[in-house]
Amino acid sequence: MVFCRGLEVGVGVGDENAIPAGHGKLLDAWEPPKDSGDPVGCIATTFTFSPAFFEEECLGRFLKLESDATEDGPVYLVEREEKLSQVACAAVLVDQHHCKGARSLRWDLHAVRPDRGILHAKISLLCWSKLVRLIIGSANLTEDGYRRNREVYGVVDFHEGSEFPRPVLQEVLQYLRQAANVAVADNESLPLQRMRRFLDRVQTLSRSWGATEDDHARESVRVTTVLTGPGRPDVFTQMSSVWPGNSPPHSAWVVSPFFDPPEAKSNQPADSLWNIMRKRGAATVDYCVETEEIHTSKQLLAHAPASLLATRPSRDSCSVAFSRLTTDLERPLHAKQIWLEDERWVLFLIGSSNFTSAGTGVGKAVNYEANVAYLFDKDRAPHGAYADLERRFPAIQSISDPETTLQFLPASDVGIDSAQETVLLPTGFLNAIYRTKNGGEGEVLLTFGDDLPSGWKICDEQELARLTEAEWRSVAGPKSYSFMWKERPPSGFLVTWEKATGFAWWPVNVASTADLPPPDELRDLPLDVLIDILTSARPLHEAMRGYLRRKAQASNNSSTASIDVDPHKRVDTSGFLLQRTRRFSAALRGLRSRLERPVPSKECLEWRIKGPV
């Protein structure tokens, strides 16, 4: 196995010529590897979210879009629609605090609302026909997460001959199903069923991919997942179960941008970490934190609570150390890492779990968090492998005498890793679905539960009321209510009620991607353009690009046209019977070729048969 393959620290765009060893660009992980096959589908989870970034950057790389959203205009829209129509599922699970924004309804957006805690896991499941990729890390699906912050991520690939353990993928698939069960919807939601069918398909496709658990146990680096959430063990319990043998680690290093607040009665994560450390002999926990110089004194301001220093066993052989991070200080720290070590073993944990009670799963409120752990055997590792692993941990400088050198002030996680004050959608609003009926007429179907606030009102994105509680009750308050929709399919609705302090966002998904109208650029293509598309071996967006180019050239030439004196060139033969027959025959061959290509889902077949071409 290639050592530490896919374990990287994220760096921002523009650093292509200065990326150090052990670092990488997270967006590169969305690009299909060689011989991975055609895209089948993807599911991602995130806390904060940018729909435009996900759609243009992440999906663009996953689908290998050749056009650019900012430069190619209609060509980009056509290519995006065509390629998204060919995947079985593209969906994002987002915590309810940040699940909003305009987007294409070709991919699904699900708001996840746990009873306690938040959805904080960052998982991307990418499936091509010959490879399944897991990306697990600390970065949200935002511009800052992928291009500005200091982040960490791991990539685990499954394919024929893959050496990663099969249980890792199976555990993640089950975890995504669990997260989907607390989404804003009911079990009959068609978009949720579409996602579940895709997860089943991935499980079937990858059934024989990867190594068995016994075979993987003989590797010098073993990979496992550490996933937390309601009903799951906390991070430290799972790390302890992964740690081999009967001798616990004697040293630990912790990197986290956020910790429990100073007013907390005790630091539960610190207590829990010490509980899995060595019970006899010397043991050390080193907190690697960001610091600032205090100009009025020789002290340093540490972005951490003082409770870390006070939390340790009573025996003298135990010590708490602090180190300052020394590289990439211009980038905000958002990576989360825990390193455990003894004479033989290293357990390196990376992922989304901050060193907080909710993040590590030891508090009353437990977040959905996703981490990947690398267990490293020094005795069996090849020469240089330990140094290679160390490069994945940030450079640090030890702080002498932290009790007198440091002042403590935890960093604020407001807007980054905390649930901001926002208007949340009440649980009684279940599904908002766009669909077509009666030969193509648009319709919105709303599904309601029991827990509805009084005086509610549903508005469109321009805040115009589309349905009120009084109108709904006038027809006996049905569980499902539908109304016609003649405009562009909506990304979501704004919901407010009597005691609300603003609007909550209700995402809209599509019943079937076949219900979506084609882009305006494809609505009224001339017959000759459709025939050119069918007779061309090029993709639809390339044929569209050529059509737009010819159209622009024709417009320019018309203003500067001169009379052609060659009588042969002035004769238009395109309407002659023989020429028309040739073009028609070529179009039929092209149509057959398009219909013969395999499709990943019934919806894709619907697009191919009933779509604009």
Side-chain angles (χ1 to χ4, degrees), residues 58 163 408 466 487 497 600:
C58 300
E163 296 175 336
F408 296 91
R466 295 292 183 143
E487 304 101 301
W497 54 96

Side-chain angles (χ1 to χ4, degrees), residues 242-388:
V242 173
W243 187 265
N246 299 319
S247 176
H250 57 61
S251 300
W253 288 262
V254 177
V255 175
S256 176
F258 307 115
F259 300 87
D260 278 352
E263 60 269 18
K265 293 182 180 180
S266 63
N267 197 303
Q268 289 183 273
D271 264 331
S272 299
L273 177 57
W274 276 110
N275 286 337
I276 65 172
M277 299 293 289
R278 178 180 292 177
K279 300 298 186 289
R280 295 180 180 179
T284 303
V285 172
D286 192 333
Y287 297 101
C288 309
V289 298
E290 291 192 301
T291 61
E292 298 177 28
E293 293 185 359
I294 302 175
H295 298 295
T296 57
S297 69
K298 295 182 179 180
Q299 289 184 306
L300 294 172
L301 182 65
H303 293 294
S307 58
L308 296 176
L309 187 60
T311 304
R312 67 177 185 85
S314 57
R315 69 181 191 272
D316 293 338
S317 57
C318 292
S319 61
V320 175
F322 279 83
S323 296
R324 61 188 304 186
L325 300 171
T326 60
T327 56
D328 277 340
L329 300 182
E330 71 281 1
R331 301 180 185 276
L333 175 67
H334 197 250
K336 306 95 166 59
Q337 300 166 287
I338 299 177
W339 179 296
L340 304 180
E341 186 170 358
D342 71 0
E343 289 77 9
R344 178 177 176 180
W345 300 97
V346 172
L347 180 59
F348 188 24
L349 182 85
I350 65 169
S352 66
S353 289
N354 286 304
F355 203 73
T356 62
S357 296
T360 57
V362 297
K364 293 182 179 179
V366 178
N367 294 344
Y368 283 87
E369 306 276 4
N371 305 277
V372 59
Y374 297 83
L375 181 63
F376 177 81
D377 186 348
K378 299 178 189 177
D379 289 353
R380 301 172 62 183
H383 177 72
Y386 182 81
D388 189 31

